[in-house]
């Protein structure tokens, strides 16, 4: 199953809206064929593994697959049919299909046909490989995740705004891995003006550009003399500025003239509604967004209860400065029972830094300090 997980990762970030899935065929304790789902609309992992075998499996062969085989006809035929047609008599499955309409039905069909089925092998690891797909299947909404590099005392920048780089190069390289996984990256206007980021996933092999969202409710980033690079580079057509009618149609026209897209969402205050943004992403087929904005944008997400998942890279450094910028703000937590927590937490070490990531769990009551955002403009 661990090998099947490794095989599935070969399509990292390529399969949306479908899941990452890997499969291996084992005979006499040896892997004799393997396959993975490359992208939506193409053959599934089980079919590719059986094709790679190139012959009928021997008696006693076992198929290991990271996700329950599909049993309905979509853009491709059911994998359960391919498994039965090949003569596989034993299947080992990692995670169950998260779609409530399908969960367990593929396994039931295989068992009814006389196939020996073992489920739940490395289930947590298999589930973790498909954060975006699982969230979409269970909730019908995009996964909104956020990432930040923080000091031991929870700071993201010094009092002067200096933040490059709190974490080391191994942690930053891992963040680019996650950039490649998500179909979209988002930042706020303040981060765009301060850091002028490229917002691409970069590795030793290549540079890849996802959809790039800029949250700028008043279009303060549209500056003729110093346009941010995401408005002028070779990927500018994949940049979408999320704004409100308060930003002004003149600035919208300037962005369109550059080839930059805009989403003008309704607003009474000039602040973008994350609920409306989530709905628009769903309608456009964008199932996951990786927020890399500063403390203000992430704090707004948290206060609105719209943040689903959090990545925090902790560096072995501290500022010990009350005026240094903190990771998240805007809540007045008076009791531990009102604290926001993470669940299904995972820990990783990258160089000298540690990554903690997990699903955001909100308490029944949160005490919000609305004035915390009053010093800066909408969505900065």
């Amino acid at each position: 199953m661990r090998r099947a997980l490794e095989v599935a990762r070969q399509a990292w970030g390529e399969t949306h809206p479908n899941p990452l899935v890997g499969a291996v065929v084992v005979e006499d304790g040896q892997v004799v064929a393997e396959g993975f789902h490359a992208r939506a609309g193409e053959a599934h992992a089980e079919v590719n593994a059986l094709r790679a075998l190139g012959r009928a499996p021997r008696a006693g062969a076992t198929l290991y697959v990271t996700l329950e085989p599909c049993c309905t006809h979509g853009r491709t035929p059911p994998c359960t049919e391919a498994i039965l047609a090949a003569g596989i008599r034993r299947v080992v499955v990692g995670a169950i299909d998260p779609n409530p309409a399908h969960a367990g039905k593929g396994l039931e069909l295989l068992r009814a046909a006389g196939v020996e089925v073992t489920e739940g092998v490395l289930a947590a690891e298999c589930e973790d490989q498909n954060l975006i797909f699982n969230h979409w299947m269970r909730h019908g909404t995009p996964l909104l995740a956020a990432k930040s590099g923080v000091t031991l005392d929870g700071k993201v920048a010094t009092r002067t705004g200096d933040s490059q780089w709190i974490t080391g190069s191994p942690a930053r390289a891992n963040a680019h891995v996650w950039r490649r996984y998500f179909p979209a990256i988002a930042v706020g206007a303040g981060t765009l003006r301060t850091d002028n980021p490229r917002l691409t996933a970069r590795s030793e092999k290549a540079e890849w550009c996802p959809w790039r969202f800029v949250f700028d409710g008043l279009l303060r980033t549209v500056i003729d003399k110093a346009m941010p690079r995401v408005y002028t580079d070779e990927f500018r057509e994949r940049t979408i500025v999320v704004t409100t009618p308060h930003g002004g149609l003149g600035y919208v026209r300037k962005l369109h003239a550059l080839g930059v897209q805009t989403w003008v969402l309704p607003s009474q205050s000039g602040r973008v509604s994350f609920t409306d943004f989530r709905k628009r992403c769903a309608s456009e087929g964008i199932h996951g967004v990786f927020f890399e904005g500063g403390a203000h944008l992430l704090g707004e997400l948290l206060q609105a209860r719209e943040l689903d998942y959090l990545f925090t890279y902790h560096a072995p450094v501290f500022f010990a400065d009350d005026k240094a910028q903190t990771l998240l703000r805007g809540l007045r937590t008076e009791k531990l029972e009102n604290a926001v927590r993470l669940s299904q937490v995972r820990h990783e070490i990258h160089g000298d830094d540690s990554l903690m990531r997990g699903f955001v769990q909100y308490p029944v009551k949160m005490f919000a300090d609305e004035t915390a955002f009053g010093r800066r403009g909408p969505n900065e």
Side-chain angles (χ1 to χ4, degrees), residues 81-92:
E81 289 185 2
I83 292 169
L84 295 175
I88 293 285
R89 307 307 298 168
R90 181 169 183 259
V91 175
V92 178

Side-chain angles (χ1 to χ4, degrees), residues 57-284:
R58 296 173 185 167
T62 299
L63 175 70
Y64 288 78
V65 59
T66 58
L67 182 66
E68 177 183 1
C70 64
C71 60
T72 57
H73 201 297
R75 283 187 280 184
T76 59
C79 289
T80 50
E81 289 185 2
I83 292 169
L84 295 175
I88 293 285
R89 307 307 298 168
R90 181 169 183 259
V91 175
V92 178
V93 174
I96 302 301
D97 189 333
N99 187 338
H102 299 157
K105 292 185 178 179
L107 304 189
E108 290 176 5
L109 190 153
L110 291 174
R111 286 176 173 135
V115 176
E116 178 189 345
V117 177
T118 301
E119 60 185 275
V121 176
L122 297 183
E125 287 82 352
C126 293
E127 282 249 347
D128 185 62
Q129 198 171 61
N130 284 304
L131 295 175
I132 293 174
F133 174 76
N134 294 341
H135 185 87
W136 178 261
M137 286 291 103
R138 289 170 179 147
H139 304 285
T141 65
L143 178 74
L144 302 188
K147 160 261 173 182
S148 190
V150 301
T151 64
L152 291 177
D153 49 347
K155 308 298 183 180
V156 296
T158 65
R159 63 171 62 196
T160 63
D162 186 19
S163 63
Q164 296 184 348
W165 298 101
I166 288 176
T167 56
S169 56
R172 297 199 301 275
N174 181 255
H176 277 272
V177 171
W178 284 106
R179 279 188 178 189
R180 184 63 184 86
Y181 175 70
F182 280 81
I185 298 175
V187 296
T191 297
L192 195 69
R193 290 187 299 181
T194 301
D195 297 339
N196 196 18
R198 191 159 172 80
L199 299 182
T200 58
R202 298 182 292 279
S203 65
E204 296 179 356
K205 296 181 179 180
E207 181 177 19
W208 176 81
C209 185
W211 289 109
R212 303 182 296 187
F213 287 113
V214 176
F215 279 72
D216 187 358
L218 299 179
L219 292 181
R220 292 176 174 174
T221 59
V222 186
I223 305 170
D224 290 334
K225 293 183 179 180
M227 284 287 189
R229 68 178 72 185
V230 295
Y231 296 167
T232 60
D233 66 12
E234 68 272 31
F235 303 120
R236 59 188 177 275
E237 292 183 354
R238 294 188 64 79
T239 299
I240 302 173
V241 180
V242 187
T243 187
T244 72
H246 299 268
L249 291 177
Y251 290 125
V252 170
R253 285 194 291 267
K254 282 186 178 182
L255 289 170
H256 290 177
L258 291 170
V260 176
Q261 301 182 51
T262 59
W263 287 1
V264 182
L265 302 180
S267 172
Q268 297 297 321
S269 64
R271 182 175 296 154
V272 174
S273 163
F274 293 110
T275 301
D276 289 340
F277 171 72
R278 193 192 288 268
K279 292 178 181 177
R280 181 66 182 269
C281 284
S283 68
E284 298 287 343

Side-chain angles (χ1 to χ4, degrees), residues 157-162 319-325:
T158 65
R159 63 171 62 196
T160 63
D162 186 19
F319 294 158
D321 184 349
D322 291 341
K323 294 186 178 180
Q325 298 178 29

